[in-house]
Amino acid sequence: MLNPPETSPAGRGAVAAVVIGVTLILQVSVANRLPLPGGVQPDLVLLAVVALALVAGSMTGMVTGFLAGLAADIIPPADHTIGRYALVYCLIGYLCGVASAEMDRQSVVPFFAVAAGALAGTVLYAGTGMILSDPRAEWATVSSMVPLQVLYDVIASPFVVWAVLRATRRYERGERARGGDSLSVPAARYRAMSGRS
């Protein structure tokens, strides 16, 4: 076998579920209690969905976004129409997953993609609030809160992206170590060792 084995979809789903579960706990117990100016907090769950979508693609991003949004809709203090976060996170997860195929992962582009996903998610959530006549989603309130929300998300994004990348890489390394042949060599390294170009 020349190439290491692919990671299993069930294992990747389990890692995504653990990441979202930990992020939801951190959102409710830490981020929502931060006394930040403007009365808004970073949306760690949205950042985790965007990071998972950038790592795993559009289908994982969409499913993870929907399930994470549904959990965020239900977990207290849920004071909005159920389904808003599920819709927003599902769309953002899908769009970021589609965009991930086009970006260079070795540069700072993923961090800009996370910031763009945070902006789109915040604006989309505010837009759905306006459509559903949420009294907190009036134009004056939204126009003052969205820039702060995006700023806090951008500040928190390197930490969340780093944690998600670390969790997914650790799983993939563990999966390769368990499932791979101890003598397996990646194809490019094999060609280099054998003198073939």
Side-chain angles (χ1 to χ4, degrees):
M1 169 160 44
L2 295 179
N3 291 320
E6 294 294 320
T7 58
S8 68
R12 184 170 287 186
V15 169
V18 168
V19 166
I20 292 300
V22 169
T23 308
L24 279 165
I25 292 169
L26 288 174
Q27 180 72 45
V28 171
S29 62
V30 178
N32 286 351
R33 296 172 189 227
L34 292 174
L36 297 174
V40 294
Q41 293 79 28
D43 191 347
L44 302 179
V45 181
L46 174 62
L47 295 175
V49 167
V50 170
L52 284 168
L54 292 174
V55 169
S58 59
M59 183 57 84
T60 301
M62 184 173 61
V63 172
T64 302
F66 176 76
L67 295 175
L70 195 58
D73 282 328
I74 296 170
I75 287 180
D79 57 351
H80 57 273
T81 306
I82 291 181
R84 280 176 66 188
Y85 278 127
L87 173 67
V88 170
Y89 292 174
C90 179
L91 290 174
I92 296 302
Y94 175 75
L95 293 174
C96 289
V98 168
S100 72
E102 304 298 323
M103 73 177 60
D104 177 21
R105 294 170 196 246
Q106 301 300 324
S107 65
V108 295
V109 173
F111 291 103
F112 289 119
V114 171
L119 172 64
T122 304
V123 170
L124 190 57
Y125 183 77
T128 57
M130 288 180 185
I131 291 170
L132 295 172
S133 301
D134 186 346
R136 293 165 299 172
E138 297 173 353
W139 178 251
T141 307
V142 168
S143 63
S144 66
M145 292 179 79
V146 166
L148 278 175
Q149 176 78 45
V150 172
L151 175 68
Y152 295 152
D153 287 347
V154 168
I155 291 170
S157 67
F159 305 105
V160 175
V161 171
W162 175 82
V164 169
L165 291 177
R166 186 135 172 103
T168 56
R169 284 184 186 153
R170 180 171 295 230
Y171 163 72
E172 288 175 359
R173 276 198 305 257
E175 184 76 15
R176 287 184 184 136
R178 279 192 306 276
D181 182 1
S182 61
L183 299 176
S184 67
V185 178
R189 188 168 171 212
Y190 175 76
R191 284 193 295 270
M193 288 180 357
S194 65
R196 293 187 232 167
S197 58

